[in-house]
Amino acid sequence: TQLLEQSPQFLSIQEGENLTVYCNSSSVFSSLQWYRQEPGEGPVLLVTVVTGGEVKKLKRLTFQFGDARKDSSLHITAAQPGDTGLYLCALRGRGGADGLTFGKGTHLIIQP
Amino acid sequence: SQTIHQWPATLVQPVGSPLSLECTVEGTSNPNLYWYRQAAGRGLQLLFYSVGIGQISSEVPQNLSASRPQDRQFILSSKKLLLSDSGFYLCAWSAQANTEAFFGQGTRLTVV
């Protein structure tokens, strides 16, 4: 079973619209990261959320960590074509150095 | 500043042939190093990680192996490639006391 479930799997919207994507788990996690990956490149870290209920903003992107630390959301306001990409949530492995466990991601396409 | 280099960018190999992908990191010492594979519909899967020279941990049984002959060099190998080894291979590093992972540009491997 997938430790992290991301939804929706695919999302295509028009420029200027708002959207929210989700990352959910049946387990509590100590911290969670969001990455964005563009085609043919490696993922790039957007944010790390640690505290339950935490909200972080990165320009038009708002990241929220659920109170119970089992879910997270990413909200994009007034989406632009440059936001197109694969959005991945990830959590740290068991021992800190073990590497990241990723969700399957949300493929986002912003149409001009 | 730290940089990570991964090569080649693309590779087409016949079934049964050997494989060697190389990754090097510059600008940091004693990094944690990782190999991930990204296959369609399966997301990013951690293959190997290393916390030091000669120290390799494998996450999943497979047809691949990894080696770390130098502090900032990580190599992914196979003696005989299978069709199922096709995918996008990503090398990454993280600092010992930091959870952010920095990814290389990836290698698109197609086994034919």
Side-chain angles (χ1 to χ4, degrees):
Chain A
T1 57
Q2 185 73 15
L3 186 60
L4 292 172
E5 297 285 345
Q6 288 192 248
S7 61
Q9 187 175 357
F10 297 97
L11 183 60
S12 179
I13 63 172
Q14 294 295 122
E15 181 177 1
E17 294 183 6
N18 302 330
L19 67 105
T20 303
V21 299
Y22 302 91
C23 176
N24 297 287
S25 173
S26 57
S27 304
V28 174
F29 31 81
S30 58
S31 67
L32 184 126
Q33 298 180 338
W34 283 94
Y35 288 78
R36 182 172 73 196
Q37 184 180 19
E38 299 190 16
E41 298 184 6
V44 176
L45 180 69
L46 296 173
V47 76
T48 300
V49 286
V50 179
T51 306
E54 182 177 5
V55 176
K56 284 190 173 179
K57 291 192 174 183
L58 186 66
K59 296 183 180 179
R60 293 176 294 100
L61 278 60
T62 302
F63 302 85
Q64 186 159 7
F65 201 14
D67 291 338
R69 291 186 290 128
K70 296 172 68 174
D71 57 272
S72 181
S73 64
L74 159 58
H75 181 79
I76 302 179
T77 303
Q80 300 177 2
D83 296 326
T84 293
L86 176 64
Y87 288 81
L88 297 156
C89 63
L91 54 82
R92 200 70 187 182
R94 300 169 298 277
D98 296 359
L100 296 164
T101 298
F102 285 87
K104 290 186 178 181
T106 293
H107 294 265
L108 177 63
I109 297 175
I110 309 301
Q111 300 178 20
Chain B
S1 62
Q2 301 89 3
T3 56
I4 179 168
H5 302 281
Q6 186 180 342
W7 67 92
T10 59
L11 191 59
V12 180
Q13 291 284 101
V15 169
S17 64
L19 173 73
S20 180
L21 302 181
E22 189 164 343
C23 172
T24 59
V25 180
E26 297 177 357
T28 187
S29 297
N30 198 28
N32 295 329
L33 296 173
Y34 308 91
W35 279 111
Y36 290 87
R37 178 170 59 202
Q38 189 172 32
R42 296 198 61 185
L44 269 163
Q45 181 184 32
L46 179 65
L47 301 177
F48 301 95
Y49 70 91
S50 172
V51 299
I53 296 174
Q55 300 179 60
I56 308 295
S57 296
S58 175
E59 285 294 296
V60 293
Q62 58 211 320
N63 184 42
L64 303 167
S65 62
S67 61
R68 186 171 177 173
Q70 300 179 42
D71 180 46
R72 289 169 288 178
Q73 183 185 27
F74 206 23
I75 298 172
L76 183 69
S77 304
S78 174
K79 292 182 179 178
K80 289 185 178 181
L81 284 168
L82 306 172
L83 286 173
S84 58
D85 292 323
S86 294
F88 190 49
Y89 288 83
L90 288 156
C91 180
W93 75 273
S94 68
Q96 293 290 344
N98 194 314
T99 63
E100 179 177 2
F102 298 90
F103 286 83
Q105 293 286 70
T107 296
R108 174 72 60 188
L109 172 66
T110 303
V111 182
V112 296

